[in-house]
C-alpha cells in the first residue's frame, strides 16, 4: 500500500521539485532585456522597467513587477504613453493538473495613460506597431509555392486555443489610475484621476461583482462617477447579463451643479425587458431642478431593433423667471430604434406643462442632416395664461437707468442680420393641431398648421383657423440660405366679425362689420430698421354692414357748418360712429409707406372716397377723405341741410393710428357752395330776363356781382 501511495505521489513531488528549481534557480529579471526587446520591436516605442521582477509566495504564488513605462515620441504632453508604478499577478498551481488555469488577483497600481493630439492632427498613437522592413533583394516566390509555405506556416504556428482548458480569474484591481486626453487641434483637455476598479472572482457563466470610481476635470466642467454591478460574462457576448446595477455621478461647471445623479438597472439580459430608473437633482443657473425618469428597455440578441416602452419623466423646476416660479413638466412615450436603418420611431408621445398638453408621434431618420417628422395635437393652448404666470416686477431706478443706457447703446450699435445658420442644419417637417388657441386675447378654434425647415428654408405651407365667425388662412416662406434672408407672406381673412376681434385684442373697436382682408407681401433683411422698410406688396380690405367708430361724419359736418354760418350749436346724444354698408380699400406697401387711392365707403347718407398714405414704420396716417352727402342730414332743431347736397366735403385724418385726428377742410366746401349759388343765381337771371342775359358783357357783370357776395 505504501508503494502504491509512493508511486502516486511521485508526479506531484516531481512537479513541486521542478517548480522549486524554477523559483530558486531562475531569476525572472534575466528576461527583462528580452521583454524590452520584444515590446520595442512590436510597438516601436522604448520600454522602461525600473523595478525588479520578483516571485511572490504569500498569500498566493505569483510575481510582481516595479515601475514600467512605454515612451511617447518627443513633443507630446507627457514623456510616457502608458506607465504604472507596480503590478502584481497571482497564480494557483494545483488547478493546472486538472486542465484549469486559475489566475489569482491581478493588481495594477498607479497606472497612467496619455492620448495627445497635436495641432497638425498627429497623435501619440500614430505609427505605433512593428517597423515595416522592405528588402529590395527579396526573391520573388511563385504563387503556388507561396501558398504552400503559407499553409505550412499556419500548420506549424502554435495554437492559441485552450482546447479543454478552463480559465478563471480571481479578480482585477486597478488603483490610483489616471488618464489624460488632450487635443490641441480642437482645443480640449480632459483629465481623469483617482480611477479605481475592482472585479471579484471571475469565471465564464458565473456572477462576479464589479465596482469602480473616478473623477474628471474637463476644463470648465468637473465630474465624478461611482458604479457597481453584478455581471455574468458567458462564453458569448450575447449571453452576458447584469443585475443590481447602480451608477451615481456628480457634475458641476460655472453655472450648474448636480450632486445627485443616479442610474439603476434591476437586471439586464438580451431578449428580455430591463427596468431602468434615472434620477437627478441640482442647480441649473439660478434654478433648482429635479428629474425622475423610468422606462423599460429591450435589446435583442440580433442587435437590430432596440425598444423603449412606458417611458415616463417628471421634471420640476423652481426659481425666479419661470411661470409661478414652479413648473412641473411630464413627458411620456414608447419608442423603437432600428440600428440597421438608423431610424427612431416615437409613439404615444405625451407632453404636459403649465396646464398645456400635447399628444402625438414623431420619427427621426439619422442622415448627414437628421430627418425629423412629427404630428402634435393639443386640446387647448392659452398663451396669455402662460404669460400671466411669469413674474411681473417693476424695475428699480437703477434698472431703469441701466435699461435706458442699453437702449441708447443699442440704437448706436451696428445692426446685423440675425444668425439663422442653424436652419441650414435642419430637416424638420410636421403639423400642429390645436382645438382652442388664445393669444393677445384673440380666440381661435380648430387651428391647423403645417410647416417645414429644410436646409435653410422655412415654409409655413398651411395655417387655418376659425376666427370670430369667419376664418383665416395663411402661408409663408423664409429663405435663410443667403447672408440676407428673404421672405414672402400671404394671408386671407374671410367673414370675420371685426368688432369683437378688435375689442378682445385692443380693448376697443375702431371698425365694426364683417371683414375680409387679403395680404400679399414680400421682403428681404431681418434687421430691425430694414424689416418694415423693405416690405412690399398689397393689402386689400373689404368690410360690409358695419361702422367706423370714433367719428360721426354727418354730425361733424352739421356742427362745423352751423359754426361757419354763425348758428348756435347744441349738444347731441348721437353715437360717435359712422355707419356704412360697404367699406373697401387697396393699400400698396413700399419703403415704409402704405398708399391708397381708392378708399370707398357707401352708406344711405354718404358716399366717401379717400386717398393718402399710412407710415407703418412710425404708425402714423395722413389721409384725405372726401364725403358727398346723398341723403338728408337733419340739422339742429330738425332742419335739413339740403344746401350741402352734392357738395364734396374733405375730411383730413392725421396723427397716430391709435388716436387719429379728424378735421374738416371747409374752405373748399365754401368755394363749392359759392359756385353752386352763383350757378343758381345765373339760372334765375336767365329765367327773368331771357335773351338779354345772354349778352356776354351783361353775364360777366352778373357773375362778378354774385361772386363778390360769396367772397
Amino acid at each position: 500500500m505504501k508503494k502504491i501511495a509512493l508511486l502516486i505521489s511521485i508526479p506531484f513531488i516531481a512537479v513541486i521539485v521542478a517548480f522549486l528549481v524554477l523559483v530558486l534557480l531562475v531569476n525572472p529579471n534575466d528576461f527583462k532585456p528580452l521583454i524590452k526587446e520584444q515590446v520595442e520591436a512590436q510597438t516601436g516605442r522604448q520600454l522602461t522597467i525600473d523595478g525588479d521582477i520578483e516571485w511572490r509566495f504569500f498569500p498566493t504564488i505569483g510575481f510582481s513587477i516595479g515601475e514600467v513605462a512605454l515612451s511617447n515620441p518627443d513633443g507630446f504632453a507627457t514623456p510616457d504613453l502608458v506607465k504604472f508604478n507596480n503590478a502584481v499577478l497571482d497564480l494557483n498551481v494545483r488547478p493546472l493538473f486538472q486542465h484549469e488555469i486559475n489566475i489569482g488577483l491581478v493588481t495594477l497600481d498607479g497606472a497612467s495613460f496619455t492620448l495627445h493630439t497635436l495641432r497638425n492632427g498627429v497623435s501619440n498613437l500614430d505609427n505605433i506597431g512593428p517597423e515595416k522592413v522592405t528588402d529590395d533583394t527579396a526573391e520573388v516566390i511563385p504563387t503556388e509555392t507561396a501558398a504552400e509555405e503559407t499553409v505550412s506556416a499556419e500548420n506549424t504556428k502554435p495554437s492559441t486555443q485552450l482546447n479543454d482548458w478552463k480559465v478563471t480569474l480571481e479578480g482585477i484591481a486597478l488603483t490610483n489610475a489616471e488618464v489624460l486626453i488632450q487635443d490641441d487641434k480642437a482645443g480640449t483637455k480632459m483629465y481623469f484621476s483617482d480611477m479605481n476598479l475592482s472585479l471579484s472572482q471571475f469565471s465564464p457563466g458565473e456572477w462576479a461583482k464589479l465596482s469602480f470610481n473616478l473623477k474628471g476635470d474637463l476644463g470648465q466642467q468637473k465630474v465624478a462617477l461611482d458604479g457597481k454591478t453584478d455581471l455574468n460574462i458567458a462564453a458569448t457576448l450575447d449571453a452576458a447579463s447584469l443585475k443590481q446595477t447602480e451608477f451615481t455621478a456628480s457634475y458641476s461647471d460655472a453655472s450648474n451643479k448636480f450632486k445627485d445623479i443616479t442610474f439603476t438597472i434591476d437586471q439586464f439580459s438580451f431578449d428580455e425587458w430591463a427596468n431602468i430608473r434615472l434620477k437627478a437633482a441640482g442647480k441649473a443657473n439660478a434654478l433648482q431642478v429635479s428629474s425622475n425618469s423610468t422606462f423599460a428597455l429591450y435589446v435583442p440578441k440580433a442587435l437590430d431593433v432596440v425598444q423603449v416602452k412606458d417611458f415616463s419623466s417628471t421634471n420640476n423646476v423652481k426659481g425666479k423667471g419661470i411661470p409661478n416660479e414652479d413648473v412641473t413638466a411630464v413627458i411620456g412615450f414608447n419608442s423603437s430604434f432600428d440600428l440597421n436603418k438608423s431610424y427612431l420611431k416615437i409613439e404615444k408621445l405625451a407632453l404636459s406643462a403649465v396646464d398645456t398638453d400635447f399628444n402625438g408621434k414623431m420619427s427621426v431618420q439619422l442622415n448627414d442632416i437628421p430627418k425629423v417628422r412629427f404630428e402634435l395635437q393639443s386640446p387647448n393652448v392659452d398663451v396669455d395664461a402662460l404669460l400671466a404666470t411669469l413674474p411681473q416686477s417693476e424695475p428699480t431706478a437703477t434698472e431703469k437707468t441701466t435699461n435706458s443706457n442699453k437702449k441708447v447703446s443699442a440704437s448706436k450699435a451696428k445692426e446685423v442680420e440675425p444668425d439663422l445658420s442653424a436652419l441650414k442644419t435642419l430637416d424638420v417637417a410636421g403639423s400642429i393641431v390645436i382645438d382652442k388657441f388664445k393669444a393677445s386675447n384673440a380666440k381661435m378654434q380648430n387651428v391647423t398648421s403645417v410647416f417645414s425647415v429644410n436646409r435653410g428654408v422655412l415654409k409655413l405651407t398651411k395655417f387655418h383657423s376659425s376666427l370670430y365667425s369667419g376664418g383665416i388662412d395663411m402661408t409663408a416662406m423664409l429663405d435663410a440660405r443667403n447672408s440676407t434672408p428673404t421672405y414672402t407672406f400671404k394671408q386671407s381673412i374671410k367673414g370675420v366679425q371685426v368688432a369683437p376681434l378688435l375689442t378682445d385684442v385692443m380693448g376697443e373697436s375702431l371698425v365694426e362689420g364683417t371683414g375680409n382682408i387679403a395680404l400679399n407681401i414680400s421682403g428681404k433683411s431681418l434687421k430691425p430698421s430694414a424689416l418694415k422698410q423693405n416690405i412690399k406688396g398689397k393689402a386689400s380690405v373689404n368690410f360690409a354692414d358695419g361702422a367706423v367708430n370714433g367719428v360721426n361724419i354727418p354730425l361733424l359736418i352739421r356742427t362745423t357748418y352751423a359754426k361757419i354760418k354763425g348758428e348756435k350749436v347744441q349738444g347731441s346724444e348721437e353715437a360717435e360712429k359712422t355707419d356704412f354698408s360697404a367699406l373697401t380699400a387697396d393699400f400698396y406697401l413700399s419703403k415704409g409707406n402704405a398708399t391708397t387711392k381708392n378708399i370707398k365707403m357707401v352708406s344711405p347718407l354718404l358716399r366717401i372716397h379717400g386717398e393718402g398714405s399710412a407710415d407703418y414704420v412710425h404708425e402714423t396716417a395722413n389721409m384725405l377723405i372726401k364725403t358727398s352727402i346723398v341723403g338728408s342730414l337733419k340739422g339742429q332743431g330738425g332742419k335739413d341741410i339740403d344746401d350741402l347736397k352734392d357738395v364734396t366735403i374733405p375730411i383730413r385724418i392725421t396723427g397716430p393710428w391709435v388716436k387719429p385726428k379728424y378735421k374738416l377742410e371747409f374752405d373748399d366746401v365754401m368755394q363749392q357752395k359759392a359756385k353752386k349759388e352763383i350757378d343758381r343765381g345765373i339760372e334765375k337771371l336767365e329765367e327773368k330776363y331771357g335773351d338779354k342775359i345772354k349778352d356776354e358783357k351783361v353775364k360777366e357783370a352778373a357773375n362778378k356781382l354774385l361772386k363778390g357776395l360769396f367772397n
Side-chain angles (χ1 to χ4, degrees):
M1 190 69 179
K2 293 182 179 180
K3 292 181 180 181
I4 296 175
L6 179 61
L7 290 173
I8 295 175
S9 63
I10 288 176
F12 293 97
I13 296 173
V15 170
I16 295 173
V17 171
F19 183 76
L20 292 174
V21 170
L22 179 66
V23 171
L24 297 175
L25 300 182
V26 177
N27 184 359
N29 289 284
D30 294 338
F31 294 95
K32 288 171 61 175
L34 178 60
I35 295 173
K36 294 173 61 177
E37 178 183 347
Q38 290 298 317
V39 171
E40 292 173 8
Q42 294 299 319
T43 64
R45 306 289 175 85
Q46 182 179 355
L47 179 69
T48 303
I49 305 177
D50 290 338
D52 292 332
I53 303 176
E54 300 178 347
W55 289 103
R56 286 167 44 88
F57 300 99
F58 182 83
T60 57
I61 297 174
F63 65 87
S64 65
I65 186 171
E67 185 174 304
V68 177
L70 184 64
S71 68
N72 266 327
D74 294 336
F76 288 93
T78 59
D80 300 314
L81 171 65
V82 179
K83 179 181 178 181
F84 59 86
N85 296 332
N86 183 46
V88 177
L89 174 66
D90 295 336
L91 183 65
N92 291 330
V93 178
R94 188 172 62 179
L96 293 174
F97 298 101
Q98 301 174 354
H99 273 221
E100 294 182 8
I101 300 177
N102 190 336
I103 301 174
L105 181 66
V106 177
T107 304
L108 191 64
D109 181 61
S112 64
F113 172 76
T114 301
L115 175 59
H116 186 192
T117 302
L118 302 177
R119 291 187 177 181
N120 58 7
V122 176
S123 78
N124 57 340
L125 292 181
D126 294 343
N127 301 321
I128 191 169
E131 297 182 1
K132 295 181 180 180
V133 180
T134 303
D135 188 357
D136 296 335
T137 63
E139 180 181 357
V140 178
I141 303 176
T143 305
E144 295 180 359
T145 305
E148 292 176 358
E149 292 185 358
T150 302
V151 173
S152 176
E154 291 178 352
N155 291 335
T156 58
K157 184 188 295 186
S159 173
T160 57
Q161 296 182 357
L162 295 177
N163 296 325
D164 297 331
W165 286 81
K166 180 181 179 181
V167 180
T168 59
L169 178 65
E170 291 288 341
I172 298 176
L174 180 70
T175 59
N176 301 316
E178 60 182 8
V179 175
L180 173 64
I181 303 175
Q182 182 173 331
D183 191 335
D184 296 341
K185 187 176 182 179
T188 60
K189 183 178 180 180
M190 296 183 291
Y191 176 68
F192 298 94
S193 62
D194 297 334
M195 298 176 63
N196 300 282
L197 181 144
S198 175
L199 177 65
S200 68
Q201 181 173 351
F202 166 76
S203 179
E206 301 293 335
W207 287 98
K209 293 186 178 295
L210 172 69
S211 63
F212 65 91
N213 58 74
L214 61 86
K215 294 180 180 178
D217 185 343
L218 312 182
Q220 300 296 326
Q221 300 86 27
K222 304 293 187 294
V223 298
L225 179 64
D226 290 85
K228 62 180 180 179
T229 184
D230 292 353
L231 72 151
N232 187 332
I233 303 297
T236 57
L237 181 61
D238 59 7
S241 300
L242 297 175
K243 68 179 181 180
Q244 298 180 2
T245 302
E246 179 177 345
F247 300 145
T248 60
S250 64
Y251 172 88
S252 64
D253 58 28
S255 304
N256 308 294
K257 191 172 184 179
F258 286 81
K259 288 186 176 181
D260 185 13
I261 303 174
T262 306
F263 179 80
T264 59
I265 306 175
D266 61 346
Q267 64 80 32
F268 172 82
S269 297
F270 289 96
D271 287 343
E272 294 184 15
W273 287 98
N275 296 314
I276 298 175
R277 178 183 293 274
L278 175 63
K279 298 177 64 177
K283 179 181 177 184
N285 293 318
L287 303 175
Q288 294 295 327
V289 179
S290 63
S291 176
N292 188 357
S293 304
T294 59
F295 59 95
L297 176 68
Y298 181 87
V299 181
K301 290 183 179 180
L303 294 178
D304 47 7
V305 179
V306 178
Q307 299 180 60
V308 171
K309 72 175 181 180
D310 299 332
F311 181 93
S312 177
S313 179
T314 302
N315 308 276
N316 179 259
V317 182
K318 296 180 180 180
K320 296 182 178 180
I322 62 173
N324 294 325
E325 297 187 357
D326 190 341
V327 171
T328 298
V330 180
I331 179 173
F333 59 81
N334 291 341
S335 69
S336 62
F337 183 69
D338 191 322
L339 296 172
N340 297 324
K341 299 179 180 179
S342 298
Y343 181 75
L344 173 65
K345 184 178 181 181
I346 298 177
E347 297 179 315
K348 295 184 179 180
L349 176 62
L351 306 171
S352 177
V354 197
D355 297 325
T356 302
D357 300 318
F358 277 96
N359 298 283
K361 60 182 180 180
M362 68 180 300
S363 64
V364 180
Q365 178 66 61
L366 297 181
N367 299 321
D368 55 339
I369 295 180
K371 181 180 179 181
V372 181
R373 299 295 181 264
F374 67 90
E375 296 178 10
L376 295 177
Q377 188 274 337
S378 176
N380 182 47
V381 174
D382 191 335
V383 177
D384 296 337
L386 174 61
L387 296 177
T389 61
L390 295 176
Q392 305 290 331
S393 58
E394 292 293 330
T396 63
T398 303
E399 291 174 336
K400 290 180 179 179
T401 304
T402 304
N403 293 335
S404 177
N405 293 336
K406 286 182 178 179
K407 290 181 179 179
V408 173
S409 301
S411 63
K412 294 181 180 180
K414 182 180 178 181
E415 292 184 347
V416 295
E417 295 290 348
D419 185 7
L420 302 178
S421 58
L423 296 181
K424 299 178 183 180
T425 64
L426 298 177
D427 182 3
V428 179
S431 63
I432 300 177
V433 176
I434 303 174
D435 298 338
K436 294 182 180 180
F437 181 81
K438 181 183 175 185
S440 299
N441 209 36
K443 304 174 184 66
M444 299 182 183
Q445 298 83 33
N446 304 319
V447 179
T448 300
S449 60
V450 180
F451 65 92
S452 64
V453 183
N454 191 353
R455 293 167 172 80
V457 179
L458 170 62
K459 289 184 179 181
L460 177 64
T461 54
K462 178 183 179 181
F463 180 89
H464 175 78
S465 172
S466 300
L467 180 69
Y468 293 86
S469 303
I472 177 174
D473 290 277
M474 185 190 314
T475 61
M477 188 271 291
L478 173 65
D479 190 341
R481 290 174 294 183
N482 299 319
S483 57
T484 301
T486 59
Y487 54 88
T488 60
F489 180 85
K490 294 182 180 181
Q491 177 180 282
S492 175
I493 298 176
K494 296 181 179 180
V496 172
Q497 294 301 311
V498 180
L501 171 60
L502 295 179
T503 301
D504 285 346
V505 175
M506 303 176 60
E508 60 179 347
S509 174
L510 299 178
V511 182
E512 299 177 9
T514 302
N516 299 283
I517 301 174
L519 185 62
N520 188 353
I521 63 173
S522 62
K524 62 180 181 179
S525 179
L526 298 180
K527 294 179 182 178
S529 62
L531 184 59
K532 293 183 178 180
Q533 286 285 352
N534 294 336
I535 291 178
K536 59 181 181 180
K538 180 182 178 181
S540 300
V541 297
N542 186 340
F543 295 149
D545 301 324
V548 177
N549 294 319
V551 58
N552 187 327
I553 294 179
L555 178 62
L556 180 63
I557 293 173
R558 290 199 305 266
T559 55
T560 305
Y561 187 56
K563 290 179 182 178
I564 292 175
K565 294 174 64 177
E567 297 177 355
K568 185 178 180 181
V569 179
Q570 298 179 357
S572 174
E573 296 181 357
E574 295 183 42
E576 292 291 321
K577 63 187 295 186
T578 303
D579 296 324
F580 61 79
S581 57
L583 174 60
T584 63
D586 292 322
F587 293 89
Y588 296 90
L589 286 64
S590 179
K591 298 180 180 179
N593 277 283
T595 59
T596 180
K597 294 184 178 180
N598 67 345
I599 298 177
K600 296 179 181 180
M601 189 174 79
V602 178
S603 76
L605 303 177
L606 306 172
R607 294 291 185 270
I608 294 177
H609 180 275
E611 60 183 25
S613 65
D615 185 336
Y616 50 78
V617 175
H618 303 95
E619 297 186 355
T620 59
N622 186 3
M623 297 282 183
L624 181 61
I625 306 298
K626 297 179 181 180
T627 305
S628 298
I629 301 172
V630 296
S632 176
L633 295 180
K634 289 186 177 181
Q636 307 300 324
K639 296 181 180 180
D640 292 336
I641 311 179
D642 294 331
D643 51 359
L644 289 181
K645 281 187 178 181
D646 301 323
V647 174
T648 301
I649 303 172
I651 301 176
R652 180 69 63 177
I653 303 176
T654 59
W657 294 356
V658 293
K659 196 173 183 180
K661 296 179 180 179
Y662 302 90
K663 179 182 179 183
L664 267 67
E665 296 184 347
F666 248 97
D667 292 341
D668 185 54
V669 174
M670 296 310 297
Q671 290 178 6
Q672 293 182 60
K673 175 63 177 173
K675 185 177 183 303
K676 182 178 178 182
E677 294 298 332
I678 290 171
D679 292 339
R680 187 180 301 171
I682 296 295
E683 290 177 359
K684 289 181 179 181
L685 288 174
E686 287 178 346
E687 292 175 358
K688 185 174 183 179
Y689 295 102
D691 294 339
K692 294 181 180 180
I693 197 63
K694 293 182 179 179
D695 183 87
E696 292 297 329
K697 291 184 178 180
V698 176
K699 187 174 182 178
E700 182 179 351
N703 282 338
K704 289 182 179 180
L705 177 62
L706 291 171
K707 288 180 179 179
L709 294 175
F710 292 100
N711 289 333

